[in-house]
Amino acid sequence: HDSVSAQHAVLQHRQVERKNAFDETTGAPLREIVPSVIDLKSTNGTYLNDNKIQDSMYIELKEFDVVRFGDSTREYVLLHADSVSYTHLRAHETCADLVC
């Protein structure tokens, strides 16, 4: 798409430390791998759930988040292996009616 930069954004799995979560045996902070997106100061922006994200800042992605680049109409939806189908979710327009 013409509104998407050559190096627009990065989707990355990052290891993060969970706040107030510690290993019961060692007391060490718990860490987990989470998907994230970062906009690389693109001209037309990166959108998360129809909201433009700030550039140069990692944003953690959650199940069913929708990412879009620039003015493209293509949407990328984060699904887990056991996610309820996105088509089913769109029919409800909210996760409130589903067990997510």
Side-chain angles (χ1 to χ4, degrees):
H1 195 275
D2 292 344
S3 70
V4 178
S5 306
Q7 293 186 356
H8 194 98
V10 173
L11 295 172
Q12 181 178 10
H13 286 87
R14 303 176 63 231
Q15 183 177 22
V16 297
E17 201 171 279
R18 286 289 163 207
K19 294 180 182 175
N20 301 320
F22 302 93
D23 183 287
E24 293 179 15
T25 306
T26 65
L30 290 179
R31 299 174 182 265
E32 66 179 318
I33 306 295
V34 297
S36 302
V37 62
I38 184 171
D39 182 87
L40 301 175
K41 298 184 180 180
S42 65
T43 302
N44 295 303
T46 299
Y47 294 82
L48 177 59
N49 302 323
D50 289 326
N51 297 304
K52 189 173 184 178
I53 66 170
Q54 180 179 339
D55 64 37
S56 304
M57 188 170 97
Y58 283 103
I59 306 294
E60 184 175 328
L61 298 174
K62 308 270 191 247
E63 186 176 24
F64 299 115
D65 274 349
V66 179
V67 178
R68 188 171 47 82
F69 304 103
D71 296 327
S72 174
T73 57
R74 231 173 248 215
E75 295 179 333
Y76 300 87
V77 182
L78 181 70
L79 297 176
H80 298 167
D82 59 347
S83 293
V84 69
S85 78
Y86 181 63
T87 305
H88 187 206
L89 177 66
R90 292 295 282 190
H92 288 82
E93 290 300 318
T94 177
C95 200
D97 298 330
L98 306 173
V99 177
C100 295

